[in-house]
Amino acid sequence: MKSEFPLADRISAFIRLGFQLSDLKEEEKHILFQQAQNQNAWFTYQSLEQALEGLKILLEKKALELWVSRYSLDEPSHPLQVGLMLAGNIPGVGFHDILTVLISGHVACIKLSSQDTALPLWLLNQLKAIEPRFSDRIFIEDLIKNKQAYIATGSDNSARYFHYYFGKYPHLIRSNRTSVAILQGDESSVEIQALGHDIFDYFGLGCRNVSKVYVREKDQLTQLLDEIQSFEWVANHHKYFNNYEYNKSIYLVNGTPHLDNGFLLLKESVELVSPIGVLYYEMYSNLAELKEKLRPLDSKIQCVVGQPSSIFPDPVPFGHTQCPAPWDYADRVDTLKFLQELTQATEL
C-alpha cells in the first residue's frame, strides 16, 4: 500500500520552508520580530535574524537529505503522539525537536515556552500552508498529558519534574548544558574574534554558548579581551548590562580577582556555567590532562570549541557553535534514532 505521507514529501516541505525563509520580505520579518521582542526582551532584532539564518542552515536540501539517509524512516502505520516540552532561552530553539518528530512520521504535540511563541507559531503556520498534511501532525497544547512518548528540555530542576511525570513513558529528557573553549596559545586573531560569537551570540543564553575557556597562560586572557572588543554592542542591551554590572559589583565588594574590559568579566573558577556578563577560565598544563578533567563533566558539556588535535580530534571550530547541522543533537543524544526505534517497536 502506498504511504499516505511519504518521507520524500515530508522532507520536501521542510526544504520549501527553508526557501521561504530566504525569501521573507522585510515588512513581514519586521512584524514577526516585533511580536517576538514584545514577548521576550532578550530577543533582539539581531538575535532573531541570526535564529532565522540558523534555521536556513538547518533546512538546507543537502543537509536534510544526508541526515535522513542514515535512518530507516518509512511512514509509521500508526503515527505516535509525541509530547514536546520546548525551551525558550533563544528564539526558535525547540524547532529541531519539531522537525525531528515530523520527519520521523509521528505527531508533534507541542507545549511552547511562554518566552518563545511568536517565531515557532509563525514557522508552524508556514509549514502547514506549504504542506497541509502536517495540519493533522501538529498540535499546540497547554497540557501534554497521555502521550505515547515525550521529549522535554529545561533546567536541572525542571528535568526532575519531567522525570517524575514522564518517566514511565519512552522519553528523552534534557537538563542544563553549556559549552567550553580550549585555547592552546597559537590561535590567530581571526579565531579569537570568532570565539566572540560563541560567547556573545544570543547574549550567552544558549547551551551552545561558551561559558568557560581553558588556557595555558594568563597572557591569553588579555589577548582574548583585546580581540573581542567588537562585541561591545552587548553592553547596549539593558538586561545584559544590568547582569554585567551586578556581577562586577559583587566581585569588587568581595575583593574577587577578575579581569574586565567594560562589558565582560573574566574570573577563574572550576565551575562550568558562568553568570551572564561573566566568562570563567581555568588553567591547564597539557591537553591529555585536560581531557581527563573534562571526562566526568561530559554530561554537562554540549560543545567543545577549539583547534583539532590528537587529543581533541573533532572540536567545533571557533565561531560555529550556533550553526548546528540537523545531526548536531542537543545533549548529543540521537533524537531521530530514538524515534526510529520507537516506530520499530510499535510496528512489531
Side-chain angles (χ1 to χ4, degrees):
M1 180 181 295
K2 188 176 180 180
S3 173
E4 180 183 348
F5 195 175
L7 175 62
D9 291 357
R10 304 196 300 268
I11 297 171
S12 176
F14 281 102
I15 293 171
R16 289 161 63 193
L17 178 61
F19 290 150
Q20 190 161 318
L21 292 178
S22 296
D23 295 335
L24 188 60
K25 295 180 179 178
E26 282 301 320
E27 182 180 355
E28 188 174 2
K29 185 190 296 185
H30 176 77
I31 293 171
L32 173 62
F33 286 8
Q34 192 61 56
Q35 291 172 343
Q37 286 179 308
N38 290 342
Q39 186 177 53
N40 190 329
W42 287 110
F43 291 3
T44 63
Y45 193 98
Q46 181 176 347
S47 293
L48 289 156
E49 189 74 72
Q50 183 174 2
L52 287 191
E53 290 301 315
L55 289 170
K56 292 178 195 176
I57 293 171
L58 187 68
L59 299 176
E60 287 178 351
K61 184 176 186 292
K62 287 183 179 180
L64 286 177
E65 291 177 344
L66 176 60
W67 176 44
V68 300
S69 69
R70 304 171 182 177
Y71 307 84
S72 175
L73 297 172
D74 295 331
E75 171 78 354
S77 57
H78 301 287
L80 303 178
Q81 292 192 340
V82 181
L84 298 178
M85 296 282 291
L86 303 188
N89 49 322
I90 62 178
V93 67
F95 186 77
H96 187 273
D97 281 339
I98 298 171
L99 165 67
T100 307
V101 170
L102 296 177
I103 283 292
S104 71
H106 294 298
V107 178
C109 302
I110 305 163
K111 173 68 169 69
L112 295 171
S113 166
S114 61
Q115 299 297 305
D116 180 29
T117 65
L119 180 57
L121 287 174
W122 183 87
L123 289 166
L124 293 174
N125 286 334
Q126 301 306 307
L127 183 63
K128 288 187 284 187
I130 290 168
E131 177 49 83
R133 282 176 288 183
F134 274 133
S135 296
D136 295 329
R137 304 289 180 100
I138 298 170
F139 297 95
I140 307 299
E141 303 181 6
D142 291 330
L143 297 173
I144 49 172
K145 292 184 176 180
N146 302 317
K147 308 307 176 188
Q148 290 153 298
Y150 288 90
I151 300 174
T153 304
S155 65
D156 289 345
N157 286 334
S158 60
R160 286 190 283 270
Y161 166 88
F162 295 150
H163 276 290
Y164 178 80
Y165 284 98
F166 306 146
K168 63 182 179 180
Y169 304 95
H171 63 269
L172 290 180
I173 295 176
R174 311 188 188 106
S175 55
N176 287 345
R177 283 209 178 209
T178 192
S179 299
V180 302
I182 300 171
L183 300 181
Q184 299 184 50
D186 58 353
E187 289 79 14
S188 67
S189 294
V190 172
E191 287 176 314
I192 299 298
Q193 290 165 15
L195 175 59
H197 285 287
D198 302 320
I199 297 168
F200 294 110
D201 285 352
Y202 304 114
F203 301 100
L205 294 172
C207 67
R208 302 182 70 87
N209 283 108
V210 168
S211 62
K212 182 172 184 175
V213 294
Y214 291 89
V215 297
R216 290 182 184 273
E217 305 289 342
K218 288 195 174 182
D219 288 347
Q220 293 172 258
L221 301 175
T222 304
Q223 179 195 7
L224 173 61
L225 289 178
D226 289 341
E227 297 288 1
I228 61 173
Q229 282 297 320
S230 61
F231 292 88
E232 189 176 8
W233 54 264
V234 294
N236 296 327
H237 191 279
H238 68 283
K239 291 178 76 70
Y240 178 91
F241 195 67
N242 286 345
N243 277 271
Y244 159 81
E245 291 254 279
Y246 171 79
N247 288 302
K248 180 178 180 178
S249 66
I250 294 296
Y251 294 162
L252 290 174
V253 168
N254 293 335
T256 304
H258 64 279
L259 298 175
D260 180 8
N261 69 350
F263 59 92
L264 181 69
L265 305 166
L266 289 183
K267 177 182 177 295
E268 190 168 14
S269 176
V270 297
E271 300 295 323
L272 281 178
V273 182
S274 57
I276 296 171
V278 179
L279 180 69
Y280 286 155
Y281 71 88
E282 189 172 343
M283 312 294 296
Y284 73 97
S285 299
N286 59 72
L287 291 176
E289 169 204 281
L290 179 56
K291 187 168 186 177
E292 288 305 308
K293 181 177 290 188
L294 293 180
R295 194 184 304 277
L297 303 174
D298 185 66
S299 65
K300 292 296 181 184
I301 296 175
Q302 181 66 41
C303 302
V304 175
V305 179
Q307 298 173 329
S309 66
S310 59
I311 306 298
F312 293 95
D314 194 28
V316 177
F318 293 107
H320 286 73
T321 58
Q322 299 297 348
C323 305
W327 49 83
D328 291 325
Y329 296 103
D331 284 19
R332 303 199 298 274
V333 176
D334 192 327
T335 315
L336 198 49
K337 182 180 179 182
F338 164 75
L339 292 164
Q340 174 190 277
E341 292 174 348
L342 200 60
T343 303
Q344 293 169 345
T346 57
E347 299 287 301
L348 295 177

